[in-house]
Amino acid sequence: MHNRLCAVGRGVALFLALVLVFLSACSVVPAPTELPEPAPAVADDDDALTRAYVMAAIERYDREGRDATVAYYSGLESMQGERFMLIMDPATTTALAWIQYPSNVGPQGPTSEVIARLFKRIAAAATPEGSWIEYQNLNPLNSRTEPSRNLVVLHDGLVFSAGHFGILEKYEQGAKNYVAAAIERYDKEGLDAVITRYNSRESMDGQYYLFLIGADDIYLAHPIFPHLIGTDIKDVVGSNGYELGKEIAKATEEGHWVGYLWPNPVTNREEAKSTFVLRHDGLIFATGFYTADDDAEPPAWLGADPREYTVTYVRQAIERYTNDGLEAFKAYYNSVSAFQGEWYLFVTDASDIYIVHPLLPNLIGTDIKDVVGANGYELGKEIARATEEGHWIDYLWPHPVTLWNAPKSSFAVRHDGMIFASGFYPVPEDVAAQTKAFVHAAIDLYDKEGREAMVAYYSDPANSDGVRFLQLIDENGIFAPPTEGGLAGVPAAALNFPDFAGEEVGPQFLTATEEGIWLHFPYPGLFGSQNYVAHTWLVRHDGLIFMSAYFDVEPSVPESEQ
């Protein structure tokens, strides 16, 4: 059992790490799409408001100086609706302030070649009078990636840039251009090169990503949901029962559009998607964009009582099984379409063998009774005791944000001999106070037993509550280097800053005081959740900076942290 647990644990960590890497890539500004000159449809008023926002930043710089201006535009209070400021040194293409993407701020530079290319483009476009450029960007008002029209001004050796969001019609041409570029690569480099390229996150351009299908309608590439590779596109069915896969398989050499519901990798909410599909050399090349309705009702899970919603989610799944039959039921709940926030369904047959698990498909075909928790609790056997009335099981399972084991509550029901189950992660009542206590406990351990013992302790997942991690910034303003168990308090597969170990931090982190400060950063959501805000508590102690964070869908800053 222990070996199976280890395998499951590694599978969880690997899968979630891949999703986190992808979502982090989605949350940053993607590779710029070459677009035509701005259409007249972009309102002059929007241009004027963006220019006023940028000029106000320059006036603040002239009045208060560089440090104060950078500090202000590194805070959430500096955002004005969809507008946020990028301040950059064009000589080094280093961002000094960028509230929406703080991991790219500081001497370590951009987190990817995509961002590096964008920074170079912005630096090259900057003039004292200001110039306009466009690229795909994440709209903070609706969490959708859209064409962004940005003013770039060079002032006193720095670049000041902000933007607003353009017209939806540009999406269609962008999708066609993306498909055309993929076909051109195929014609020049061959199938293997295209599969390699478009199975990587580097191939993404905002919400555009290629899914490539063979002449036999079998997926060859899908950078977002790689578990689809090797399956038949015709078997894919939307959450509303629409057989979107069969419609995509009708692609012709002229190409056509297919509309359906699909999870948006940026917002992680199911939204209307328009996809351009084209047959070329027998293959199907496809990409699309999301057209969420701003007036649409929020998802049912958002703000719902999690315990009540879990029961509802499981009961609705049983109803779908009854109405649609087993095969259609399995096809739906083994797909990403079935995710609702942190809820997904896992199902066994009458012999307790997994037949549905969209998060960890490697469990399908195994016995749920063999699954054991990180603390040795035989959670699988407890789930297998489910009755027709249903029962609740509390156990430890990797948290979707921290990747560390956290308390989870699941509801399991027997129906037709099968087990239907789903669950949620309870949220502590005063998570802000607990985050502060978590940091100060680390400081106490440091004072009592020294740095090495403290790092060793917080690098052990057994000492995590699953909600928080500990990050250490050393005397030189460098993210703590890896230990044998990972970063300080962050296992090797976890999120936050593992790729920056040994790198310098951004200037906002260095404002930490001995009394402690809060910083608040937008953070990409997961598995259908809204985008998060990372509420981060930092304390300077003995020349080091100790920090931890909790994640919340609420974008506003709590009064207790202001």
Side-chain angles (χ1 to χ4, degrees):
M1 290 184 184
H2 177 72
N3 289 339
R4 178 177 296 280
L5 170 63
C6 291
V8 171
R10 286 193 297 270
V12 170
L14 176 59
F15 182 88
L16 290 176
L18 289 173
V19 174
L20 284 163
V21 167
F22 158 66
L23 286 174
S24 296
C26 282
S27 70
V28 297
V29 178
T33 301
E34 294 300 327
L35 296 171
E37 286 298 313
V42 177
D44 291 339
D45 285 349
D46 283 339
D47 280 8
L49 290 171
T50 294
R51 183 175 289 277
Y53 181 69
V54 172
M55 296 313 296
I58 292 174
E59 290 171 5
R60 180 183 292 269
Y61 171 86
D62 289 340
R63 182 177 65 251
E64 301 180 12
R66 172 169 166 163
D67 291 345
T69 302
V70 167
Y72 175 75
Y73 286 102
S74 294
L76 289 175
E77 67 276 9
S78 68
M79 296 179 67
Q80 292 184 8
E82 66 192 84
R83 294 173 176 83
F84 54 92
M85 187 65 58
L86 167 63
I87 302 176
M88 185 179 69
D89 181 348
T92 60
T93 58
T94 298
L96 306 178
W98 206 13
I99 181 58
Q100 196 162 5
Y101 311 108
S103 60
N104 292 279
V105 173
Q108 81 276 355
T111 59
S112 70
E113 292 183 6
V114 170
I115 301 300
R117 289 196 298 269
L118 177 63
F119 280 6
K120 290 179 181 178
R121 182 182 174 198
I122 290 172
T127 65
E129 299 77 23
S131 61
W132 294 92
I133 62 173
E134 295 190 7
Y135 50 82
Q136 298 288 333
N137 205 346
L138 184 66
N139 188 334
L141 294 186
N142 57 26
S143 297
R144 296 205 308 260
T145 303
E146 302 177 2
S148 176
R149 176 165 158 81
N150 300 269
L151 179 65
V152 183
V153 178
L154 181 65
H155 178 77
D156 198 27
L158 297 178
V159 171
F160 295 77
S161 180
H164 52 272
F165 291 84
I167 54 177
L168 190 61
E169 287 78 2
K170 292 183 179 178
Y171 282 154
E172 288 193 4
Q173 190 59 50
K176 290 181 177 181
N177 291 346
Y178 190 84
V179 166
I183 291 174
E184 182 179 2
R185 182 183 291 269
Y186 166 79
D187 289 339
K188 290 181 179 178
E189 302 179 16
L191 180 60
D192 289 344
V194 166
I195 291 175
T196 299
R197 167 66 179 172
Y198 289 100
N199 270 324
S200 69
R201 64 186 180 91
E202 288 78 11
S203 67
M204 294 171 53
D205 182 0
Q207 60 183 309
Y208 297 128
Y209 59 85
L210 188 79
F211 52 103
L212 181 67
I213 300 154
D216 53 0
D217 295 340
I218 302 299
Y219 278 101
L220 299 175
H222 203 304
I224 312 308
F225 303 121
H227 67 276
L228 290 175
I229 295 172
T231 66
D232 194 317
I233 181 70
K234 296 190 297 295
D235 293 336
V236 178
V237 179
S239 61
N240 58 356
Y242 176 54
E243 295 181 327
L244 63 99
K246 291 182 179 178
E247 192 64 29
I248 291 172
K250 296 176 183 176
T252 66
E253 294 183 357
E254 292 73 33
H256 73 277
W257 291 92
V258 182
Y260 51 91
L261 296 175
W262 195 254
N264 186 332
V266 175
T267 67
N268 298 297
R269 293 172 58 171
E270 188 174 68
E271 298 176 2
K273 184 173 185 179
S274 296
T275 294
F276 182 67
V277 299
L278 187 148
R279 283 267 184 195
H280 176 76
D281 204 19
L283 307 172
I284 298 177
F285 293 75
T287 194
F289 59 90
Y290 295 85
T291 55
D293 182 359
D294 291 337
D295 297 324
E297 291 293 322
W301 53 264
L302 187 61
D305 179 279
R307 197 172 179 90
E308 293 178 2
Y309 189 77
T310 300
V311 174
T312 298
Y313 184 79
V314 172
R315 297 296 185 191
Q316 288 176 342
I318 293 174
E319 184 178 355
R320 182 182 284 267
Y321 160 75
T322 302
N323 293 336
D324 297 352
L326 180 60
E327 294 307 313
F329 166 83
K330 289 195 299 183
Y332 173 65
Y333 281 101
N334 272 320
S335 77
V336 294
S337 298
F339 278 94
Q340 294 185 23
E342 63 189 274
W343 286 271
Y344 61 89
L345 194 75
F346 52 102
V347 181
T348 74
D349 63 15
S351 300
D352 297 340
I353 304 301
Y354 279 104
I355 59 173
V356 170
H357 205 303
L359 181 64
L360 296 173
N362 59 302
L363 287 176
I364 295 174
T366 66
D367 194 319
I368 195 171
K369 295 188 297 293
D370 292 338
V371 177
V372 180
N375 57 355
Y377 176 54
E378 295 180 329
L379 63 97
K381 290 183 179 178
E382 190 63 29
I383 292 173
R385 294 190 179 102
T387 65
E388 292 183 357
E389 291 72 33
H391 75 158
W392 287 90
I393 308 96
D394 296 324
Y395 53 94
L396 295 178
W397 197 252
H399 192 281
V401 174
T402 65
L403 304 186
W404 281 24
N405 288 300
K408 183 172 184 177
S409 295
S410 288
F411 180 69
V413 174
R414 284 275 184 188
H415 180 78
D416 272 2
M418 302 159 57
I419 299 173
F420 296 75
S422 187
F424 69 97
Y425 295 85
V427 177
E429 289 187 7
D430 193 346
V431 67
Q434 292 184 28
T435 299
K436 294 175 71 172
F438 186 78
V439 170
H440 290 283
I443 293 173
D444 289 342
L445 182 61
Y446 170 87
D447 289 339
K448 291 177 181 177
E449 301 186 20
R451 174 171 171 172
E452 184 175 345
M454 185 275 297
V455 169
Y457 178 84
Y458 285 97
S459 291
D460 184 351
N463 297 320
S464 168
D465 60 7
V467 178
R468 281 161 285 272
F469 58 88
L470 183 75
Q471 180 67 59
L472 190 67
I473 299 172
D474 70 14
E475 301 88 340
N476 301 309
I478 304 294
F479 284 119
T483 66
E484 184 177 348
L487 297 179
V490 186
L495 79 169
N496 202 274
F497 306 108
D499 294 335
F500 303 149
E503 299 291 342
E504 293 184 40
V505 303
Q508 65 271 48
F509 296 101
L510 299 180
T511 62
T513 65
E514 294 182 357
E515 293 75 26
I517 64 169
W518 285 101
L519 294 177
H520 310 275
F521 303 123
Y523 206 88
L526 303 172
F527 304 127
S529 299
Q530 293 276 24
N531 282 350
Y532 286 95
V533 171
H535 299 281
T536 308
W537 176 249
L538 304 93
V539 177
R540 187 180 293 275
H541 179 77
D542 199 26
L544 305 173
I545 297 175
F546 295 73
M547 58 183 280
S548 187
Y550 73 93
F551 301 85
D552 191 1
V553 297
E554 175 56 56
S556 62
V557 179
E559 291 184 6
S560 61
E561 300 175 19
Q562 293 178 354

